[in-house]
Amino acid sequence: MAIGSGAGAYFGISAESTWGTYVAPTRFLPGNFGLKPEHQVQPVGGYAAAGRLAPLDEIETLLWGTGKYEGEVLRTGMGLLLQHITGGSATPVQQAATAAYLQTHVVGDNYGKGLSAQAVVPNTAGTLYPFTMYGAKVASATFSCTKGESLKVSVDLWGKKVDQLQTSAAAGYTATQGALPFNWTQMNLKLGTYASEAATSGVKSVSVTIARSMNTDDTFYAGGQGYPSEPVMAAGDIPSLIPITGTVEIDMMTKAEFVDRFTGHTSTSLLWDFVHSTAIASTYYPTFSLTCPKVYFDTSSIDVSGANVVGVSVPFKAFVDTTNGYGTVKYMSTDTAI
Protein backbone atom coordinates (compact mmCIF):
# COMPACT_ATOMS: atom_id res chain seq x y z
CA MET A 1 0.00 0.00 0.00
CA ALA A 2 1.41 3.39 -0.98
CA ILE A 3 1.74 6.33 1.39
CA GLY A 4 -1.48 8.35 1.27
CA SER A 5 0.18 11.67 0.40
CA GLY A 6 2.52 13.17 -2.18
CA ALA A 7 5.32 11.11 -0.63
CA GLY A 8 3.73 8.06 -2.24
CA ALA A 9 3.43 9.61 -5.69
CA TYR A 10 5.90 9.15 -8.55
CA PHE A 11 6.58 10.29 -12.11
CA GLY A 12 7.91 8.23 -15.00
CA ILE A 13 8.65 8.70 -18.69
CA SER A 14 9.52 6.54 -21.68
CA ALA A 15 10.32 7.24 -25.32
CA GLU A 16 7.57 6.35 -27.77
CA SER A 17 8.35 4.39 -30.92
CA THR A 18 5.39 6.07 -32.64
CA TRP A 19 4.28 9.52 -31.53
CA GLY A 20 1.16 9.31 -29.36
CA THR A 21 1.34 5.52 -28.84
CA TYR A 22 1.78 4.45 -25.22
CA VAL A 23 4.98 2.86 -23.95
CA ALA A 24 5.09 1.99 -20.25
CA PRO A 25 7.46 4.34 -18.36
CA THR A 26 10.85 2.95 -17.44
CA ARG A 27 12.67 6.13 -16.30
CA PHE A 28 11.48 7.63 -13.02
CA LEU A 29 12.43 11.12 -11.89
CA PRO A 30 12.02 12.41 -8.33
CA GLY A 31 10.50 15.89 -8.10
CA ASN A 32 7.24 17.81 -8.30
CA PHE A 33 4.90 17.07 -11.19
CA GLY A 34 1.40 17.10 -12.57
CA LEU A 35 -0.46 16.09 -15.74
CA LYS A 36 -3.73 17.68 -16.77
CA PRO A 37 -6.32 16.68 -19.38
CA GLU A 38 -7.41 19.76 -21.34
CA HIS A 39 -10.51 20.32 -23.44
CA GLN A 40 -12.47 22.89 -25.38
CA VAL A 41 -16.21 22.72 -24.79
CA GLN A 42 -19.30 24.11 -26.47
CA PRO A 43 -22.68 24.65 -24.79
CA VAL A 44 -25.61 22.73 -26.24
CA GLY A 45 -29.13 24.11 -26.57
CA GLY A 46 -28.23 27.62 -25.50
CA TYR A 47 -30.48 29.27 -28.07
CA ALA A 48 -33.80 30.97 -27.30
CA ALA A 49 -36.43 28.28 -26.63
CA ALA A 50 -39.64 29.03 -24.73
CA GLY A 51 -38.07 30.60 -21.66
CA ARG A 52 -35.10 28.22 -21.33
CA LEU A 53 -32.77 29.92 -18.86
CA ALA A 54 -29.49 28.14 -19.61
CA PRO A 55 -27.94 25.63 -22.02
CA LEU A 56 -29.01 22.02 -21.62
CA ASP A 57 -25.52 20.56 -21.64
CA GLU A 58 -22.04 20.96 -23.09
CA ILE A 59 -19.91 18.84 -25.41
CA GLU A 60 -16.16 18.42 -25.73
CA THR A 61 -14.93 19.53 -29.15
CA LEU A 62 -11.13 19.51 -28.73
CA LEU A 63 -8.96 17.36 -26.43
CA TRP A 64 -5.26 17.50 -25.49
CA GLY A 65 -3.03 17.49 -22.39
CA THR A 66 -0.54 19.64 -20.51
CA GLY A 67 1.88 18.92 -17.70
CA LYS A 68 4.82 20.10 -15.65
CA TYR A 69 7.87 18.50 -14.05
CA GLU A 70 10.27 20.20 -11.63
CA GLY A 71 13.29 18.50 -10.14
CA GLU A 72 17.04 18.49 -9.66
CA VAL A 73 19.51 17.67 -12.42
CA LEU A 74 20.97 14.41 -11.18
CA ARG A 75 24.34 12.85 -11.97
CA THR A 76 22.69 9.84 -13.59
CA GLY A 77 19.43 9.08 -15.33
CA MET A 78 18.74 12.46 -16.97
CA GLY A 79 19.63 11.65 -20.58
CA LEU A 80 16.11 10.85 -21.80
CA LEU A 81 14.70 14.11 -20.47
CA LEU A 82 17.65 16.08 -21.91
CA GLN A 83 17.10 14.46 -25.29
CA HIS A 84 13.49 15.63 -25.41
CA ILE A 85 14.33 19.09 -24.09
CA THR A 86 16.90 19.66 -26.82
CA GLY A 87 15.29 17.60 -29.58
CA GLY A 88 18.66 15.99 -30.26
CA SER A 89 19.56 12.38 -30.93
CA ALA A 90 22.47 11.83 -28.57
CA THR A 91 23.84 8.41 -27.73
CA PRO A 92 26.28 7.79 -24.85
CA VAL A 93 29.88 7.51 -26.05
CA GLN A 94 32.30 5.59 -23.84
CA GLN A 95 35.34 7.62 -22.82
CA ALA A 96 38.47 5.55 -23.42
CA ALA A 97 37.97 2.18 -21.69
CA THR A 98 36.32 3.65 -18.59
CA ALA A 99 32.87 3.66 -16.96
CA ALA A 100 32.34 7.26 -18.13
CA TYR A 101 29.95 7.93 -21.01
CA LEU A 102 29.42 11.31 -22.69
CA GLN A 103 26.09 12.41 -24.16
CA THR A 104 26.10 15.38 -26.55
CA HIS A 105 22.62 16.84 -27.01
CA VAL A 106 22.49 19.36 -29.86
CA VAL A 107 19.43 21.64 -29.90
CA GLY A 108 17.26 20.91 -32.92
CA ASP A 109 13.92 19.79 -34.32
CA ASN A 110 11.97 17.39 -32.07
CA TYR A 111 9.56 16.13 -34.74
CA GLY A 112 9.00 12.38 -34.42
CA LYS A 113 9.95 12.42 -30.74
CA GLY A 114 7.29 11.80 -28.12
CA LEU A 115 7.23 10.72 -24.50
CA SER A 116 4.70 8.66 -22.61
CA ALA A 117 4.60 10.36 -19.21
CA GLN A 118 2.81 9.02 -16.17
CA ALA A 119 2.02 10.69 -12.85
CA VAL A 120 0.94 8.10 -10.29
CA VAL A 121 -0.98 9.76 -7.45
CA PRO A 122 -2.32 8.18 -4.21
CA ASN A 123 -5.48 9.09 -2.35
CA THR A 124 -5.36 9.34 1.44
CA ALA A 125 -6.01 5.61 1.74
CA GLY A 126 -2.92 4.89 -0.38
CA THR A 127 -4.73 3.71 -3.51
CA LEU A 128 -2.68 4.68 -6.58
CA TYR A 129 -4.27 6.41 -9.57
CA PRO A 130 -2.24 6.72 -12.80
CA PHE A 131 -2.61 9.75 -15.05
CA THR A 132 -0.92 9.13 -18.40
CA MET A 133 0.08 11.61 -21.11
CA TYR A 134 0.63 10.36 -24.65
CA GLY A 135 2.76 12.11 -27.26
CA ALA A 136 4.31 14.43 -24.68
CA LYS A 137 6.64 17.10 -26.04
CA VAL A 138 8.71 19.62 -24.10
CA ALA A 139 7.30 23.08 -24.77
CA SER A 140 9.82 24.83 -22.53
CA ALA A 141 12.55 23.92 -20.03
CA THR A 142 14.41 26.18 -17.61
CA PHE A 143 17.67 25.23 -15.91
CA SER A 144 18.64 27.32 -12.89
CA CYS A 145 21.12 27.45 -10.04
CA THR A 146 21.42 30.08 -7.31
CA LYS A 147 24.07 30.54 -4.61
CA GLY A 148 23.96 27.66 -2.15
CA GLU A 149 21.49 25.51 -4.09
CA SER A 150 21.38 22.57 -6.47
CA LEU A 151 20.96 22.72 -10.25
CA LYS A 152 17.24 22.52 -10.98
CA VAL A 153 15.15 21.99 -14.10
CA SER A 154 11.54 22.99 -14.70
CA VAL A 155 9.79 21.50 -17.74
CA ASP A 156 6.46 22.42 -19.34
CA LEU A 157 4.86 19.59 -21.32
CA TRP A 158 2.25 19.52 -24.08
CA GLY A 159 0.76 16.25 -25.30
CA LYS A 160 -1.85 14.53 -27.42
CA LYS A 161 -4.02 13.57 -24.45
CA VAL A 162 -4.12 12.65 -20.77
CA ASP A 163 -6.28 9.81 -19.45
CA GLN A 164 -6.55 7.27 -16.62
CA LEU A 165 -6.77 4.11 -18.72
CA GLN A 166 -3.28 2.64 -18.24
CA THR A 167 -2.10 0.64 -15.26
CA SER A 168 0.50 2.16 -12.96
CA ALA A 169 4.06 1.42 -14.05
CA ALA A 170 6.20 0.08 -11.21
CA ALA A 171 8.60 2.80 -10.06
CA GLY A 172 12.33 2.10 -9.93
CA TYR A 173 15.28 4.36 -9.13
CA THR A 174 19.02 3.84 -9.44
CA ALA A 175 21.10 4.09 -6.28
CA THR A 176 22.57 7.45 -7.34
CA GLN A 177 19.32 9.10 -8.44
CA GLY A 178 18.09 9.98 -4.99
CA ALA A 179 20.89 12.07 -3.51
CA LEU A 180 23.41 13.30 -6.07
CA PRO A 181 22.34 16.40 -8.00
CA PHE A 182 24.78 18.85 -9.50
CA ASN A 183 25.10 21.91 -7.26
CA TRP A 184 26.55 25.38 -6.64
CA THR A 185 29.95 24.09 -5.49
CA GLN A 186 30.57 22.66 -8.97
CA MET A 187 29.30 25.62 -11.02
CA ASN A 188 31.20 27.97 -13.33
CA LEU A 189 30.05 30.48 -15.93
CA LYS A 190 32.60 31.09 -18.68
CA LEU A 191 32.67 33.65 -21.48
CA GLY A 192 34.95 34.41 -24.41
CA THR A 193 36.07 32.76 -27.60
CA TYR A 194 34.29 29.48 -28.38
CA ALA A 195 36.15 26.46 -26.93
CA SER A 196 38.46 28.82 -24.99
CA GLU A 197 35.96 30.46 -22.64
CA ALA A 198 37.29 31.80 -19.31
CA ALA A 199 35.61 31.84 -15.90
CA THR A 200 33.78 35.05 -14.97
CA SER A 201 33.61 36.99 -11.69
CA GLY A 202 30.76 37.96 -9.37
CA VAL A 203 28.10 35.53 -10.61
CA LYS A 204 25.33 34.86 -8.06
CA SER A 205 22.84 32.89 -10.12
CA VAL A 206 22.18 31.68 -13.65
CA SER A 207 19.02 30.57 -15.40
CA VAL A 208 18.67 29.40 -19.01
CA THR A 209 15.44 28.61 -20.84
CA ILE A 210 15.16 26.47 -23.98
CA ALA A 211 11.69 27.03 -25.44
CA ARG A 212 10.06 25.57 -28.51
CA SER A 213 7.59 27.09 -30.96
CA MET A 214 5.13 24.48 -32.23
CA ASN A 215 1.83 24.78 -34.09
CA THR A 216 -0.05 22.98 -31.33
CA ASP A 217 -3.26 24.98 -31.95
CA ASP A 218 -3.36 24.14 -35.65
CA THR A 219 -3.10 20.33 -35.68
CA PHE A 220 -6.71 19.37 -34.95
CA TYR A 221 -8.06 17.62 -38.05
CA ALA A 222 -11.24 15.75 -38.92
CA GLY A 223 -10.99 12.04 -38.17
CA GLY A 224 -8.87 12.52 -35.04
CA GLN A 225 -11.78 12.21 -32.58
CA GLY A 226 -10.95 15.69 -31.32
CA TYR A 227 -7.29 14.93 -30.54
CA PRO A 228 -4.39 16.76 -32.23
CA SER A 229 -1.89 15.36 -34.71
CA GLU A 230 1.82 15.73 -34.02
CA PRO A 231 2.84 19.41 -34.20
CA VAL A 232 5.80 20.77 -36.14
CA MET A 233 8.13 23.67 -35.46
CA ALA A 234 6.30 26.82 -36.57
CA ALA A 235 6.23 30.41 -35.39
CA GLY A 236 5.06 33.79 -36.54
CA ASP A 237 8.14 35.36 -34.96
CA ILE A 238 10.75 33.48 -36.97
CA PRO A 239 13.76 33.22 -36.53
CA SER A 240 12.96 32.25 -32.92
CA LEU A 241 11.73 28.72 -33.51
CA ILE A 242 13.74 27.45 -30.53
CA PRO A 243 14.58 30.55 -28.48
CA ILE A 244 17.37 30.13 -25.93
CA THR A 245 17.36 32.92 -23.37
CA GLY A 246 18.69 33.42 -19.88
CA THR A 247 19.57 35.74 -17.02
CA VAL A 248 22.77 36.11 -15.01
CA GLU A 249 22.64 37.81 -11.62
CA ILE A 250 25.98 39.44 -10.78
CA ASP A 251 27.72 41.70 -8.32
CA MET A 252 29.72 44.46 -9.98
CA MET A 253 33.17 42.94 -9.47
CA THR A 254 34.02 43.82 -13.05
CA LYS A 255 31.86 45.47 -15.68
CA ALA A 256 33.91 44.33 -18.66
CA GLU A 257 32.50 40.79 -18.78
CA PHE A 258 28.81 41.69 -18.98
CA VAL A 259 28.06 45.42 -19.02
CA ASP A 260 30.72 46.42 -21.54
CA ARG A 261 29.63 43.62 -23.85
CA PHE A 262 26.11 45.03 -23.70
CA THR A 263 27.09 48.66 -24.24
CA GLY A 264 29.40 47.67 -27.10
CA HIS A 265 26.86 45.17 -28.48
CA THR A 266 29.53 42.50 -28.84
CA SER A 267 28.74 38.80 -28.81
CA THR A 268 30.50 36.10 -26.83
CA SER A 269 30.44 32.37 -26.38
CA LEU A 270 28.79 31.30 -23.13
CA LEU A 271 29.64 28.06 -21.33
CA TRP A 272 27.76 27.18 -18.14
CA ASP A 273 29.07 24.01 -16.54
CA PHE A 274 28.99 21.83 -13.45
CA VAL A 275 31.91 19.44 -12.93
CA HIS A 276 31.90 17.14 -9.93
CA SER A 277 35.16 16.83 -8.01
CA THR A 278 35.16 13.02 -7.86
CA ALA A 279 36.12 11.32 -11.12
CA ILE A 280 34.10 8.52 -12.62
CA ALA A 281 37.42 7.17 -13.84
CA SER A 282 40.76 8.62 -14.90
CA THR A 283 40.20 12.26 -15.96
CA TYR A 284 36.47 11.87 -16.62
CA TYR A 285 34.18 13.62 -14.14
CA PRO A 286 30.39 13.78 -13.83
CA THR A 287 29.52 16.87 -15.88
CA PHE A 288 26.57 18.93 -17.01
CA SER A 289 27.30 21.77 -19.41
CA LEU A 290 25.35 24.08 -21.67
CA THR A 291 27.15 25.96 -24.45
CA CYS A 292 25.80 28.79 -26.61
CA PRO A 293 28.54 29.81 -29.06
CA LYS A 294 27.01 33.25 -29.71
CA VAL A 295 25.05 35.31 -27.18
CA TYR A 296 24.30 38.99 -26.77
CA PHE A 297 23.75 40.52 -23.34
CA ASP A 298 21.05 43.02 -22.53
CA THR A 299 20.78 44.83 -19.21
CA SER A 300 18.43 46.54 -16.85
CA SER A 301 19.52 49.81 -15.28
CA ILE A 302 22.43 49.65 -12.87
CA ASP A 303 20.78 50.92 -9.71
CA VAL A 304 22.54 51.95 -6.51
CA SER A 305 20.40 51.57 -3.41
CA GLY A 306 22.16 52.47 -0.20
CA ALA A 307 25.57 51.16 0.74
CA ASN A 308 25.10 47.58 -0.48
CA VAL A 309 27.28 45.99 -3.15
CA VAL A 310 25.93 47.00 -6.54
CA GLY A 311 24.20 44.13 -8.30
CA VAL A 312 22.93 43.80 -11.85
CA SER A 313 20.51 41.42 -13.54
CA VAL A 314 21.84 40.69 -17.03
CA PRO A 315 19.55 38.94 -19.55
CA PHE A 316 20.88 37.36 -22.72
CA LYS A 317 19.71 35.76 -25.97
CA ALA A 318 21.46 33.10 -28.03
CA PHE A 319 21.97 33.30 -31.78
CA VAL A 320 23.23 30.86 -34.39
CA ASP A 321 26.99 30.88 -34.92
CA THR A 322 27.46 29.73 -38.51
CA THR A 323 30.71 27.97 -37.59
CA ASN A 324 30.00 26.52 -34.14
CA GLY A 325 26.23 26.08 -34.08
CA TYR A 326 23.50 27.20 -31.70
CA GLY A 327 23.13 25.37 -28.39
CA THR A 328 24.53 22.12 -26.96
CA VAL A 329 24.04 20.29 -23.69
CA LYS A 330 26.72 17.79 -22.64
CA TYR A 331 26.17 15.22 -19.93
CA MET A 332 28.91 12.95 -18.59
CA SER A 333 27.70 10.08 -16.43
CA THR A 334 27.91 6.34 -15.96
CA ASP A 335 24.76 5.83 -18.05
CA THR A 336 25.42 3.46 -20.93
CA ALA A 337 22.07 4.23 -22.55
CA ILE A 338 19.72 7.17 -22.84
Side-chain angles (χ1 to χ4, degrees):
M1 184 67 72
I3 300 171
S5 68
Y10 55 93
F11 179 76
I13 57 175
S14 59
E16 295 174 342
S17 301
T18 302
W19 182 82
T21 301
Y22 177 69
V23 176
T26 55
R27 182 66 49 82
F28 296 90
L29 301 173
N32 301 323
F33 48 84
L35 299 177
K36 179 183 177 184
E38 304 275 7
H39 65 192
Q40 176 179 297
V41 297
Q42 178 177 310
V44 175
Y47 301 100
R52 185 181 296 161
L53 301 179
L56 298 175
D57 208 334
E58 68 179 18
I59 56 173
E60 293 180 315
T61 58
L62 298 177
L63 301 151
W64 69 100
T66 60
K68 191 173 186 69
Y69 168 76
E70 298 175 341
E72 296 174 310
V73 179
L74 307 173
R75 284 166 45 188
T76 63
M78 301 300 294
L80 181 59
L81 186 62
L82 293 175
Q83 186 175 76
H84 285 259
I85 289 172
T86 61
S89 55
T91 56
V93 177
Q94 187 177 21
Q95 304 299 289
T98 71
Y101 287 78
L102 177 64
Q103 302 173 26
T104 302
H105 299 270
V106 179
V107 172
D109 189 0
N110 70 348
Y111 187 77
K113 291 182 172 64
L115 291 170
S116 291
Q118 191 174 73
V120 181
V121 182
N123 64 9
T124 55
T127 302
L128 294 173
Y129 298 98
F131 295 83
T132 304
M133 176 182 281
Y134 310 77
K137 287 183 177 290
V138 174
S140 178
T142 298
F143 298 93
S144 61
C145 188
T146 298
K147 178 184 68 176
E149 297 186 359
S150 58
L151 172 61
K152 296 180 174 64
V153 62
S154 176
V155 179
D156 290 325
L157 297 169
W158 175 95
K160 181 177 181 179
K161 63 179 177 178
V162 173
D163 66 25
Q164 300 180 61
L165 299 179
Q166 305 298 332
T167 57
S168 301
Y173 301 92
T174 65
T176 54
Q177 271 186 285
L180 296 173
F182 292 100
N183 66 78
W184 173 261
T185 66
Q186 303 148 9
M187 182 177 117
N188 271 296
L189 184 71
K190 302 173 184 177
L191 304 173
T193 303
Y194 177 76
S196 298
E197 299 90 348
T200 57
S201 304
V203 174
K204 297 190 294 184
S205 73
V206 178
S207 67
V208 179
T209 297
I210 301 172
R212 192 171 293 277
S213 299
M214 298 179 288
N215 67 331
T216 53
D217 293 334
D218 298 324
T219 60
F220 294 91
Y221 303 118
Q225 290 80 51
Y227 295 106
S229 297
E230 182 176 5
V232 300
M233 288 199 303
D237 60 345
I238 290 173
S240 298
L241 286 169
I242 311 177
I244 302 176
T245 59
T247 302
V248 183
E249 302 286 344
I250 63 168
D251 279 341
M252 282 281 286
M253 293 178 66
T254 172
K255 71 182 182 71
E257 294 170 328
F258 298 96
V259 179
D260 287 358
R261 283 189 168 105
F262 162 67
T263 57
H265 197 240
T266 56
S267 65
T268 184
S269 179
L270 180 149
L271 170 60
W272 183 33
D273 67 6
F274 295 77
V275 181
H276 196 271
S277 59
T278 302
I280 296 171
S282 182
T283 58
Y284 303 107
Y285 296 82
T287 301
F288 172 91
S289 72
L290 188 151
T291 303
C292 297
K294 184 179 183 180
V295 303
Y296 282 102
F297 291 111
D298 205 335
T299 188
S300 56
S301 62
I302 302 172
D303 296 325
V304 177
S305 178
N308 292 323
V309 173
V310 177
V312 187
S313 179
V314 188
F316 66 85
K317 292 185 291 186
F319 293 81
V320 172
D321 182 305
T322 55
T323 300
N324 300 307
Y326 184 42
T328 301
V329 173
K330 292 187 177 181
Y331 185 65
M332 183 90 75
S333 71
T334 56
D335 296 332
T336 60
I338 296 290

